[in-house]
Each structure stands twice: as C-alpha cells, then as structure tokens.
Amino acid sequence: MGLQAALVIAAALIGVGVYGVLSQQTFVMIMMGFELAINGVMLAGAAFWAYSTGGPPQGQVLVIIAMLVMAVEAAMGFALVIAVYRARQVDMTEGIDTLKG
C-alpha cells in the first residue's frame, strides 16, 4: 500500500466520521463518528510519517500512544453517556436541554 492509498483511506474514514457526527442524534453514534474521524487523521499522520522519513518507527509509536489515549477518552465518554442515561433516561441529544443536574 502506497502513500496515496493510505491517504484515500484516511480521507474516507474522516468523511464517514464527519457524516456520522453531523447526521446522528444518539450520543453513541456521535462518539463513534468522532472516533472514526480521529482514526482517519491518525492514519494520515502515520502514513505521512512512514513514507516521508526513512528512520526508526517513531511516528508509529506516537500513533499507538494516541490510540491508547483515545481508548481512555472513549471509555470516559461512554461512562458519561451511561450517567446521563441513568439520570434522565434519554439517549439522544434533543432530550438534554440543560446541563444542570
């Protein structure tokens, strides 16, 4: 797989992710859209890093660290969604009109 193929796949991931964020109303689908878009950005960054520099795989290590941070962020986001659902019994963005508990 060359740089252009990696960038096309990354652009597709970003596009599908942005579409998912803008078109969905449930919290889980919005978070999945964000994750997909961020994964596309990381793929593009890793592809640029891998094909532009010929040294040790420092960029790939940075992407793995970013993926770990994203996993923690997703766990915190899903915990927040579960807390909102338990408190208000809503799972869509329209159901929350205030952030006051």
Side-chain angles (χ1 to χ4, degrees):
M1 178 165 56
L3 177 62
Q4 293 175 342
L7 292 180
V8 167
I9 293 170
L13 286 175
I14 293 170
V16 171
V18 168
Y19 176 75
V21 168
L22 295 177
S23 67
Q24 299 295 323
Q25 293 183 347
T26 60
F27 294 123
V28 175
M29 295 303 288
I30 291 171
M31 288 180 57
M32 289 176 65
F34 275 128
E35 295 292 325
L36 201 58
I38 292 172
N39 280 328
V41 170
M42 286 193 328
L43 177 63
F48 273 125
W49 207 312
Y51 288 105
S52 65
T53 61
Q58 297 170 345
Q60 289 83 359
V61 173
L62 180 65
V63 168
I64 290 172
I65 291 171
M67 289 173 70
L68 289 173
V69 171
M70 283 180 49
V72 172
E73 172 259 332
M76 291 175 59
F78 283 119
L80 181 64
V81 168
I82 289 171
V84 167
Y85 182 77
R86 286 182 179 169
R88 299 187 184 191
Q89 300 296 321
V90 295
D91 62 346
M92 299 185 71
T93 55
E94 295 174 349
I96 298 177
D97 51 356
T98 61
L99 293 177
K100 203 184 254 185

